[in-house]
Amino acid sequence: MGPDGAWHLYFTGLRDDARPLGTAVGPSPLGPWTVRPDPLFEPGPEGSWDAAGDLAPCVLIEGGRARMWFLGATPEERIA
């Protein structure tokens, strides 16, 4: 639960061939969820460490601040 009293869900989405990171907010773990229409992070340009997608977000909310860790994937499916 966030400092605003709402539940925050962070996820790997699928948009065409891209795998952006998204977020949704809800009043309880069961929802209903409101999905933010724009991704938090989108894969980088060709040749970047996350060109094929941003995956598996992990978020820690402390003192009103959110910190996120996530994986990046290359087209060869190498995970960084």
Side-chain angles (χ1 to χ4, degrees):
M1 186 178 317
D4 57 358
W7 289 82
H8 295 258
L9 174 68
Y10 300 92
F11 57 88
T12 300
L14 185 60
R15 179 182 289 171
D16 299 320
D17 289 335
R19 293 184 184 112
L21 295 183
T23 186
V25 178
S28 79
L30 302 176
W33 293 97
T34 301
V35 178
R36 178 181 168 177
D38 298 318
L40 290 174
F41 294 100
E42 295 197 54
E46 185 176 332
S48 67
W49 66 277
D50 67 340
D54 297 320
L55 312 166
C58 177
V59 176
L60 174 65
I61 299 176
E62 256 182 344
R65 297 186 78 177
R67 296 179 188 195
M68 177 183 284
W69 293 261
F70 60 91
L71 301 172
T74 65
E76 299 81 24
E77 295 299 325
R78 292 194 177 108
I79 304 293

